[in-house]
Amino acid sequence: MRASAQPDRRGYFGAFGGRFVPEVLAFALDELESAVDAAFADDAFWSDFHGLLCSYVGRPSPVYRARRFERCAPVVVKREDLNHTGSHKINNTLGQALLARRMGKERLIAETGAGQHGVATATVGAKFGFPVDVYMGARDVERQEPNVALMRMLGARVHSVTSGTQTLKDATNEAFRVWAAEVERTFYVIGSVVGAHPYPYMVREFQRVIGDEARRQCLEEHGRLPSDVVACVGGGSNAIGIFTAFLGDDVRLWGVEAAGKGTQSGETAASLSAGSIGVLHGSRSYLLQTADGQVCETHSVSAGLDYPGVGPEHAYLKESGRATYVSVRDDEALTAFHDFAAAEGIVPALESAHALAFARTLSRERNSSDLVLVNLSGRGDKDLAYVRGLSSGA
Amino acid sequence: MSSRLESALRKHKPAFIPYLMAGDPDLETTEAVAHAVRACGAAALELGVPYGDPLADGPTIAAAGQRALERGTRMCDVLALASRLRDAIPIVLFTYYNLVHAYGLELFAQDAVRSGVAGAIVPDVTLEELDDVQPIFEKHGLAMPLLVAPTTPAQRAGTIARRASGFVYVVSRLGVTGASAAPNVDALRGQIAGLREATRLPLAVGFGISTRKHVEAVAPFADAFIVGSALIDAYSGTSGADAVRRVELLAYELLGSSFRGG
C-alpha cells in the first residue's frame, strides 16, 4: 500500500537513497522492511497511530494565518509547534514506537542533535514502557542542557558522544554502532528522513500527516490550495512531511536550508545548495564533504539543521525540479525569529524561523490571491537561552 | 592479483592478516610496522584508509583514523604507501564507500591496481549495492572480499561467499571492530562449515581477535585471522622503532612459536 511510486524496491528515489550499511545491519533492515510493509498494509496499525496522534499528540494541528507577519500574499502556518513535546518529531517517534512494539523489540535507541528528537523518543519510550538510550554529541549536550534534563526526567539515558566533531553526525555514527552490537533486541528510532532504506520511506509515511491535514485545511478554510509550501530542511523530515500531500498538485515546494554564515563561507549546513553527491549514514544523497570525501563540520545557529547530509528524497526532488531549495543565513533566521514572536505572539523554533524568513520574502513577491503555507515545525522555548545569549553579546 | 593474495593466505593455517591504519601515527611508522609484521609471518596486510565516519569501526580504529586524518593522510598517500609495500606483502585496502565514490569508482580501481593493491574491502557496500561497484573492481583485477556477519542468514551468507573475491571476511561477533571477549566459537564453526559449501575461497575471521587464546580458538576451522584494534592499541602513543618493537611482541604472542621468523 505504498502511497507513491518512490522509492523503488531498493529504496532509491531516482538516483538517491539505497542501503549502504555494514553487513551486520542488513538483516535488521530486512526485518524492519518486512515489518513496515506488514504494518502499513494493516488498517489496525494506522487506526492505533491516528488515534494516538489525536489523543496523545493533539492533532490535527491548526493552520493559522499570520496576518501581522505576512506582507502581500497571505501566510498561513501549520502549527506543529502545538504538538505534544513541541515539534513534529513526535509524529515519527510514535509511529516507530508502535512498530517496535509490534516487532517485539525490547528497547529504543536514538540519535539527537538539538535534543528534540531525543525528547520525542524518550517520551514514547516512557509511554510504551521501553528503556531508551539517546546518543548526543558532547558539544550538543553542553549547548542543549534543558533538553538533556528533560530526557533524563522522562527516564532515558543520555550518552555523551566524544568522537569526531562531537555533534549530530557523530551521535548518529554512535547510534549505528550501538545498534550493530545489539541489533536483535534493539529498535533504532532515526529522527529524520535519512539513513538506509526503509528509514527515509518509513519516516515520510509517519510525517506525511502534516501535509495531508494542511492540504485539507487550506481547501476548507481558505477555499484553495496554497500557491507555495515552505519548510526548513536539515535532514528534511518536516519538509517531506508537508510536501508529500502536494506532490501531485500545481503547488511550488520550497525547502529552506541553513546557510549558516553563508553558503560559500565554509560555515554552513546547506547540503543541497553547497554540497555534492556522496554516501553518509546509509544512503546516497547530497552532503557537505571535502574533495576527498571526508564529511565536513557544519555550522548553523539552529542545532536541528546542523547536519552535513540531507534525506535522499530531497536530493531527488531537487534533481527532478519538483522542489526548489534555497538557503537562509543565521542572521536572517534570527530576525524572523524575533519578528514572528513580536508580530504573532508565537515563538518559533530557530529551525522553523529559517522557513519563516523565506516565506516573508515570498509573501512580498506574490499576489494577495496567492497563499503561502509554512510548516512551523517546532516551538522556540528551547532556543530562548541561546538567543538571549546572542543578543547580550555573550 | 587476487590469486597471489589467495595463495599467500594458504601458506599458513591459519594465516595472519594484520590491519594497520595508514598514517597513524605517521606513514613512515605504518611502513616500518608493515615490514615488521611481514617478518613476523603475516600473510597479507589490511591497510585502513582514514575516514572520519567509520560506521563499522569501534573506538580504537576510529581514533587511529582521526589521528591519521589530523596528519593529513589522504587516499593518494595510502596508495603510494601500498606501492612501496607491494613487493613485500599482498595488500588489501579497508576503506569506506564515500572515499571511493569521491575518488571516482573507476579511477580508484585503476589506481589501486597500479599501486599493487590486491583487493579492497568496502564494508558499507553489501549485496544490495554490489552491482554498482564489484563489476568495476573486477574489470580492473581488484579483488573485493565481502563480509559475513553473525546476523547474516545462511542463504544470504552463501550468496555473499559466491560473490566475494580474494577471501571471505567472517565477522566473529555482533557490533564493530575492537578488542573484546572471546569470539563465539560454536556459532562461528557452524557458519564457516556452511560457507565452505558455497566457496573455495579462504575464510578469514575478524572483529575482536586480540589474544593468542582467540587465535587458537578459531585456528581449527578458519583459514586466516585478522587482527586490527589489538595491534593499534599495542603501539598507540609510540612511533618508529618503539612501535615496531611493540608490534613484534604482540605478533609473537598471537602467532606462538610455530610462526616465528616465518
Side-chain angles (χ1 to χ4, degrees), chain B residues 155-194:
Chain B
Q155 196 185 349
R156 181 178 167 96
T159 309
I160 292 171
R162 280 187 291 275
R163 298 205 54 184
S165 46
F167 60 89
V168 179
Y169 193 136
V170 186
V171 175
S172 67
R173 58 168 168 75
L174 293 178
V176 291
T177 59
S180 76
N184 183 346
V185 172
D186 288 338
L188 262 179
R189 187 186 290 116
Q191 189 164 39
I192 282 187

mmCIF file of all heavy atoms in Angstrom, chain B residues 155-194:
data_model
loop_
_atom_site.group_PDB
_atom_site.id
_atom_site.type_symbol
_atom_site.label_atom_id
_atom_site.label_comp_id
_atom_site.label_asym_id
_atom_site.label_seq_id
_atom_site.Cartn_x
_atom_site.Cartn_y
_atom_site.Cartn_z
ATOM 1 N N GLN B 155 21.314 -18.496 3.750
ATOM 2 C CA GLN B 155 21.213 -18.392 2.294
ATOM 3 C C GLN B 155 21.930 -17.148 1.774
ATOM 4 O O GLN B 155 22.654 -17.192 0.776
ATOM 5 C CB GLN B 155 19.736 -18.351 1.889
ATOM 6 C CG GLN B 155 19.555 -18.630 0.416
ATOM 7 C CD GLN B 155 18.103 -18.460 -0.001
ATOM 8 O OE1 GLN B 155 17.197 -18.327 0.823
ATOM 9 N NE2 GLN B 155 17.867 -18.452 -1.301
ATOM 10 N N ARG B 156 21.749 -16.066 2.490
ATOM 11 C CA ARG B 156 22.423 -14.823 2.120
ATOM 12 C C ARG B 156 23.944 -14.976 2.248
ATOM 13 O O ARG B 156 24.701 -14.497 1.395
ATOM 14 C CB ARG B 156 21.912 -13.692 3.013
ATOM 15 C CG ARG B 156 22.508 -12.333 2.716
ATOM 16 C CD ARG B 156 21.898 -11.264 3.646
ATOM 17 N NE ARG B 156 22.681 -10.038 3.586
ATOM 18 C CZ ARG B 156 22.378 -8.992 2.803
ATOM 19 N NH1 ARG B 156 21.319 -9.034 2.048
ATOM 20 N NH2 ARG B 156 23.147 -7.914 2.792
ATOM 21 N N ALA B 157 24.372 -15.681 3.308
ATOM 22 C CA ALA B 157 25.804 -15.908 3.514
ATOM 23 C C ALA B 157 26.398 -16.664 2.330
ATOM 24 O O ALA B 157 27.502 -16.363 1.868
ATOM 25 C CB ALA B 157 26.040 -16.675 4.820
ATOM 26 N N GLY B 158 25.631 -17.635 1.822
ATOM 27 C CA GLY B 158 26.087 -18.396 0.661
ATOM 28 C C GLY B 158 26.256 -17.506 -0.555
ATOM 29 O O GLY B 158 27.257 -17.582 -1.275
ATOM 30 N N THR B 159 25.282 -16.630 -0.770
ATOM 31 C CA THR B 159 25.362 -15.700 -1.903
ATOM 32 C C THR B 159 26.577 -14.786 -1.761
ATOM 33 O O THR B 159 27.315 -14.545 -2.725
ATOM 34 C CB THR B 159 24.078 -14.841 -1.970
ATOM 35 O OG1 THR B 159 22.951 -15.708 -1.932
ATOM 36 C CG2 THR B 159 24.044 -14.006 -3.229
ATOM 37 N N ILE B 160 26.779 -14.287 -0.557
ATOM 38 C CA ILE B 160 27.930 -13.400 -0.315
ATOM 39 C C ILE B 160 29.228 -14.147 -0.628
ATOM 40 O O ILE B 160 30.112 -13.625 -1.314
ATOM 41 C CB ILE B 160 27.925 -12.900 1.150
ATOM 42 C CG1 ILE B 160 26.744 -11.963 1.380
ATOM 43 C CG2 ILE B 160 29.247 -12.212 1.488
ATOM 44 C CD1 ILE B 160 26.509 -11.591 2.836
ATOM 45 N N ALA B 161 29.319 -15.377 -0.136
ATOM 46 C CA ALA B 161 30.551 -16.159 -0.337
ATOM 47 C C ALA B 161 30.815 -16.403 -1.816
ATOM 48 O O ALA B 161 31.958 -16.342 -2.269
ATOM 49 C CB ALA B 161 30.445 -17.485 0.413
ATOM 50 N N ARG B 162 29.752 -16.633 -2.572
ATOM 51 C CA ARG B 162 29.937 -16.879 -4.008
ATOM 52 C C ARG B 162 30.336 -15.615 -4.753
ATOM 53 O O ARG B 162 30.995 -15.673 -5.785
ATOM 54 C CB ARG B 162 28.653 -17.483 -4.611
ATOM 55 C CG ARG B 162 28.527 -18.983 -4.340
ATOM 56 C CD ARG B 162 27.351 -19.597 -5.092
ATOM 57 N NE ARG B 162 26.083 -19.126 -4.559
ATOM 58 C CZ ARG B 162 25.454 -19.662 -3.515
ATOM 59 N NH1 ARG B 162 25.988 -20.706 -2.895
ATOM 60 N NH2 ARG B 162 24.318 -19.183 -3.078
ATOM 61 N N ARG B 163 29.936 -14.474 -4.243
ATOM 62 C CA ARG B 163 30.240 -13.226 -4.951
ATOM 63 C C ARG B 163 31.543 -12.573 -4.494
ATOM 64 O O ARG B 163 32.054 -11.679 -5.158
ATOM 65 C CB ARG B 163 29.079 -12.249 -4.808
ATOM 66 C CG ARG B 163 27.799 -12.821 -5.435
ATOM 67 C CD ARG B 163 26.832 -11.767 -5.862
ATOM 68 N NE ARG B 163 27.441 -10.783 -6.756
ATOM 69 C CZ ARG B 163 26.802 -9.718 -7.210
ATOM 70 N NH1 ARG B 163 25.564 -9.495 -6.849
ATOM 71 N NH2 ARG B 163 27.398 -8.863 -8.022
ATOM 72 N N ALA B 164 32.071 -13.010 -3.355
ATOM 73 C CA ALA B 164 33.305 -12.413 -2.844
ATOM 74 C C ALA B 164 34.487 -12.839 -3.708
ATOM 75 O O ALA B 164 34.417 -13.824 -4.439
ATOM 76 C CB ALA B 164 33.526 -12.854 -1.404
ATOM 77 N N SER B 165 35.562 -12.055 -3.637
ATOM 78 C CA SER B 165 36.805 -12.496 -4.257
ATOM 79 C C SER B 165 37.962 -12.191 -3.311
ATOM 80 O O SER B 165 37.861 -11.304 -2.465
ATOM 81 C CB SER B 165 37.002 -11.830 -5.623
ATOM 82 O OG SER B 165 36.729 -10.443 -5.549
ATOM 83 N N GLY B 166 39.057 -12.943 -3.435
ATOM 84 C CA GLY B 166 40.205 -12.789 -2.539
ATOM 85 C C GLY B 166 40.051 -13.641 -1.297
ATOM 86 O O GLY B 166 40.764 -14.615 -1.096
ATOM 87 N N PHE B 167 39.100 -13.283 -0.460
ATOM 88 C CA PHE B 167 38.724 -14.117 0.686
ATOM 89 C C PHE B 167 37.346 -13.689 1.170
ATOM 90 O O PHE B 167 36.803 -12.688 0.681
ATOM 91 C CB PHE B 167 39.764 -14.048 1.819
ATOM 92 C CG PHE B 167 40.013 -12.692 2.427
ATOM 93 C CD1 PHE B 167 39.265 -12.244 3.510
ATOM 94 C CD2 PHE B 167 41.035 -11.865 1.937
ATOM 95 C CE1 PHE B 167 39.509 -10.995 4.089
ATOM 96 C CE2 PHE B 167 41.283 -10.606 2.506
ATOM 97 C CZ PHE B 167 40.515 -10.174 3.590
ATOM 98 N N VAL B 168 36.792 -14.462 2.101
ATOM 99 C CA VAL B 168 35.543 -14.060 2.737
ATOM 100 C C VAL B 168 35.881 -13.623 4.149
ATOM 101 O O VAL B 168 36.593 -14.325 4.878
ATOM 102 C CB VAL B 168 34.519 -15.216 2.773
ATOM 103 C CG1 VAL B 168 33.231 -14.773 3.475
ATOM 104 C CG2 VAL B 168 34.208 -15.691 1.358
ATOM 105 N N TYR B 169 35.393 -12.462 4.510
ATOM 106 C CA TYR B 169 35.675 -11.887 5.836
ATOM 107 C C TYR B 169 34.529 -12.295 6.756
ATOM 108 O O TYR B 169 33.413 -11.792 6.633
ATOM 109 C CB TYR B 169 35.749 -10.367 5.686
ATOM 110 C CG TYR B 169 36.331 -9.601 6.848
ATOM 111 C CD1 TYR B 169 37.244 -8.567 6.619
ATOM 112 C CD2 TYR B 169 35.979 -9.864 8.170
ATOM 113 C CE1 TYR B 169 37.783 -7.823 7.660
ATOM 114 C CE2 TYR B 169 36.516 -9.139 9.217
ATOM 115 C CZ TYR B 169 37.408 -8.112 8.957
ATOM 116 O OH TYR B 169 37.944 -7.376 9.988
ATOM 117 N N VAL B 170 34.811 -13.212 7.676
ATOM 118 C CA VAL B 170 33.766 -13.711 8.559
ATOM 119 C C VAL B 170 33.831 -12.933 9.875
ATOM 120 O O VAL B 170 34.802 -13.041 10.625
ATOM 121 C CB VAL B 170 33.936 -15.220 8.828
ATOM 122 C CG1 VAL B 170 32.757 -15.744 9.639
ATOM 123 C CG2 VAL B 170 34.067 -15.979 7.510
ATOM 124 N N VAL B 171 32.813 -12.130 10.116
ATOM 125 C CA VAL B 171 32.787 -11.289 11.315
ATOM 126 C C VAL B 171 32.435 -12.164 12.519
ATOM 127 O O VAL B 171 31.424 -12.863 12.513
ATOM 128 C CB VAL B 171 31.766 -10.146 11.138
ATOM 129 C CG1 VAL B 171 31.637 -9.342 12.422
ATOM 130 C CG2 VAL B 171 32.178 -9.256 9.976
ATOM 131 N N SER B 172 33.298 -12.121 13.539
ATOM 132 C CA SER B 172 33.197 -13.114 14.615
ATOM 133 C C SER B 172 32.085 -12.820 15.604
ATOM 134 O O SER B 172 31.689 -13.678 16.373
ATOM 135 C CB SER B 172 34.524 -13.188 15.365
ATOM 136 O OG SER B 172 34.733 -11.971 16.057
ATOM 137 N N ARG B 173 31.593 -11.587 15.615
ATOM 138 C CA ARG B 173 30.568 -11.261 16.614
ATOM 139 C C ARG B 173 29.795 -10.026 16.163
ATOM 140 O O ARG B 173 30.184 -9.345 15.225
ATOM 141 C CB ARG B 173 31.213 -11.003 17.967
ATOM 142 C CG ARG B 173 32.233 -9.885 17.904
ATOM 143 C CD ARG B 173 32.655 -9.444 19.284
ATOM 144 N NE ARG B 173 33.814 -8.599 19.224
ATOM 145 C CZ ARG B 173 33.814 -7.330 18.829
ATOM 146 N NH1 ARG B 173 32.699 -6.768 18.443
ATOM 147 N NH2 ARG B 173 34.929 -6.626 18.791
ATOM 148 N N LEU B 174 28.720 -9.714 16.891
ATOM 149 C CA LEU B 174 27.943 -8.514 16.593
ATOM 150 C C LEU B 174 28.760 -7.278 16.924
ATOM 151 O O LEU B 174 29.700 -7.332 17.703
ATOM 152 C CB LEU B 174 26.661 -8.508 17.434
ATOM 153 C CG LEU B 174 25.631 -9.588 17.116
ATOM 154 C CD1 LEU B 174 24.450 -9.472 18.083
ATOM 155 C CD2 LEU B 174 25.147 -9.473 15.685
ATOM 156 N N GLY B 175 28.374 -6.170 16.323
ATOM 157 C CA GLY B 175 28.986 -4.904 16.688
ATOM 158 C C GLY B 175 30.054 -4.468 15.728
ATOM 159 O O GLY B 175 30.035 -4.803 14.557
ATOM 160 N N VAL B 176 30.994 -3.689 16.253
ATOM 161 C CA VAL B 176 32.011 -3.053 15.439
ATOM 162 C C VAL B 176 33.372 -3.644 15.764
ATOM 163 O O VAL B 176 33.490 -4.488 16.652
ATOM 164 C CB VAL B 176 32.006 -1.528 15.691
ATOM 165 C CG1 VAL B 176 30.734 -0.905 15.139
ATOM 166 C CG2 VAL B 176 32.155 -1.217 17.175
ATOM 167 N N THR B 177 34.403 -3.199 15.027
ATOM 168 C CA THR B 177 35.750 -3.694 15.284
ATOM 169 C C THR B 177 36.178 -3.285 16.693
ATOM 170 O O THR B 177 35.732 -2.287 17.229
ATOM 171 C CB THR B 177 36.748 -3.109 14.274
ATOM 172 O OG1 THR B 177 36.733 -1.682 14.370
ATOM 173 C CG2 THR B 177 36.407 -3.537 12.854
ATOM 174 N N GLY B 178 37.091 -4.065 17.263
ATOM 175 C CA GLY B 178 37.623 -3.709 18.573
ATOM 176 C C GLY B 178 37.933 -4.933 19.393
ATOM 177 O O GLY B 178 37.248 -5.951 19.295
ATOM 178 N N ALA B 179 39.003 -4.837 20.185
ATOM 179 C CA ALA B 179 39.403 -5.932 21.066
ATOM 180 C C ALA B 179 38.246 -6.267 21.992
ATOM 181 O O ALA B 179 37.518 -5.394 22.428
ATOM 182 C CB ALA B 179 40.625 -5.502 21.868
ATOM 183 N N SER B 180 38.050 -7.550 22.277
ATOM 184 C CA SER B 180 36.873 -7.906 23.065
ATOM 185 C C SER B 180 37.056 -9.247 23.749
ATOM 186 O O SER B 180 38.098 -9.870 23.653
ATOM 187 C CB SER B 180 35.662 -8.017 22.148
ATOM 188 O OG SER B 180 35.736 -9.235 21.432
ATOM 189 N N ALA B 181 35.990 -9.674 24.381
ATOM 190 C CA ALA B 181 35.948 -11.010 24.970
ATOM 191 C C ALA B 181 36.007 -12.056 23.844
ATOM 192 O O ALA B 181 35.919 -11.725 22.673
ATOM 193 C CB ALA B 181 34.663 -11.160 25.767
ATOM 194 N N ALA B 182 36.148 -13.320 24.244
ATOM 195 C CA ALA B 182 36.355 -14.401 23.281
ATOM 196 C C ALA B 182 35.234 -14.460 22.235
ATOM 197 O O ALA B 182 34.078 -14.175 22.533
ATOM 198 C CB ALA B 182 36.422 -15.716 24.030
ATOM 199 N N PRO B 183 35.583 -14.819 20.978
ATOM 200 C CA PRO B 183 34.551 -14.990 19.957
ATOM 201 C C PRO B 183 33.649 -16.188 20.274
ATOM 202 O O PRO B 183 34.040 -17.091 21.006
ATOM 203 C CB PRO B 183 35.353 -15.234 18.682
ATOM 204 C CG PRO B 183 36.711 -15.648 19.115
ATOM 205 C CD PRO B 183 36.940 -15.061 20.474
ATOM 206 N N ASN B 184 32.461 -16.163 19.723
ATOM 207 C CA ASN B 184 31.519 -17.262 19.908
ATOM 208 C C ASN B 184 31.901 -18.406 18.960
ATOM 209 O O ASN B 184 31.468 -18.458 17.813
ATOM 210 C CB ASN B 184 30.098 -16.763 19.639
ATOM 211 C CG ASN B 184 29.063 -17.848 19.900
ATOM 212 O OD1 ASN B 184 29.397 -19.039 20.023
ATOM 213 N ND2 ASN B 184 27.815 -17.451 19.980
ATOM 214 N N VAL B 185 32.725 -19.332 19.490
ATOM 215 C CA VAL B 185 33.367 -20.336 18.646
ATOM 216 C C VAL B 185 32.361 -21.296 18.004
ATOM 217 O O VAL B 185 32.472 -21.623 16.828
ATOM 218 C CB VAL B 185 34.429 -21.107 19.450
ATOM 219 C CG1 VAL B 185 34.967 -22.279 18.651
ATOM 220 C CG2 VAL B 185 35.551 -20.163 19.840
ATOM 221 N N ASP B 186 31.373 -21.696 18.768
ATOM 222 C CA ASP B 186 30.407 -22.667 18.225
ATOM 223 C C ASP B 186 29.635 -22.099 17.040
ATOM 224 O O ASP B 186 29.486 -22.759 16.011
ATOM 225 C CB ASP B 186 29.424 -23.113 19.315
ATOM 226 C CG ASP B 186 30.115 -24.015 20.332
ATOM 227 O OD1 ASP B 186 31.168 -24.601 19.966
ATOM 228 O OD2 ASP B 186 29.631 -24.103 21.466
ATOM 229 N N ALA B 187 29.165 -20.858 17.223
ATOM 230 C CA ALA B 187 28.412 -20.227 16.137
ATOM 231 C C ALA B 187 29.302 -20.045 14.920
ATOM 232 O O ALA B 187 28.881 -20.284 13.780
ATOM 233 C CB ALA B 187 27.858 -18.888 16.606
ATOM 234 N N LEU B 188 30.544 -19.628 15.165
ATOM 235 C CA LEU B 188 31.482 -19.409 14.066
ATOM 236 C C LEU B 188 31.759 -20.693 13.299
ATOM 237 O O LEU B 188 31.792 -20.709 12.067
ATOM 238 C CB LEU B 188 32.816 -18.904 14.629
ATOM 239 C CG LEU B 188 33.080 -17.409 14.604
ATOM 240 C CD1 LEU B 188 34.433 -17.133 15.218
ATOM 241 C CD2 LEU B 188 33.024 -16.863 13.189
ATOM 242 N N ARG B 189 31.973 -21.758 14.051
ATOM 243 C CA ARG B 189 32.289 -23.042 13.418
ATOM 244 C C ARG B 189 31.158 -23.461 12.490
ATOM 245 O O ARG B 189 31.391 -23.876 11.343
ATOM 246 C CB ARG B 189 32.542 -24.116 14.490
ATOM 247 C CG ARG B 189 33.042 -25.437 13.893
ATOM 248 C CD ARG B 189 33.146 -26.547 14.940
ATOM 249 N NE ARG B 189 34.212 -26.328 15.891
ATOM 250 C CZ ARG B 189 34.052 -26.132 17.208
ATOM 251 N NH1 ARG B 189 32.825 -26.107 17.716
ATOM 252 N NH2 ARG B 189 35.085 -25.961 17.999
ATOM 253 N N GLY B 190 29.933 -23.300 12.973
ATOM 254 C CA GLY B 190 28.774 -23.664 12.166
ATOM 255 C C GLY B 190 28.671 -22.805 10.917
ATOM 256 O O GLY B 190 28.433 -23.306 9.817
ATOM 257 N N GLN B 191 28.894 -21.506 11.092
ATOM 258 C CA GLN B 191 28.771 -20.600 9.951
ATOM 259 C C GLN B 191 29.840 -20.915 8.907
ATOM 260 O O GLN B 191 29.573 -20.924 7.702
ATOM 261 C CB GLN B 191 28.900 -19.156 10.426
ATOM 262 C CG GLN B 191 28.554 -18.163 9.334
ATOM 263 C CD GLN B 191 28.296 -16.773 9.889
ATOM 264 O OE1 GLN B 191 28.983 -16.334 10.807
ATOM 265 N NE2 GLN B 191 27.297 -16.092 9.352
ATOM 266 N N ILE B 192 31.046 -21.202 9.394
ATOM 267 C CA ILE B 192 32.140 -21.481 8.459
ATOM 268 C C ILE B 192 31.900 -22.786 7.710
ATOM 269 O O ILE B 192 32.160 -22.882 6.501
ATOM 270 C CB ILE B 192 33.482 -21.443 9.217
ATOM 271 C CG1 ILE B 192 33.846 -19.960 9.416
ATOM 272 C CG2 ILE B 192 34.567 -22.204 8.472
ATOM 273 C CD1 ILE B 192 35.164 -19.670 9.987
ATOM 274 N N ALA B 193 31.348 -23.762 8.385
ATOM 275 C CA ALA B 193 31.023 -25.017 7.697
ATOM 276 C C ALA B 193 30.043 -24.755 6.556
ATOM 277 O O ALA B 193 30.194 -25.292 5.454
ATOM 278 C CB ALA B 193 30.437 -26.018 8.697
ATOM 279 N N GLY B 194 29.066 -23.894 6.818
ATOM 280 C CA GLY B 194 28.105 -23.541 5.768
ATOM 281 C C GLY B 194 28.778 -22.821 4.610
ATOM 282 O O GLY B 194 28.491 -23.099 3.439
#
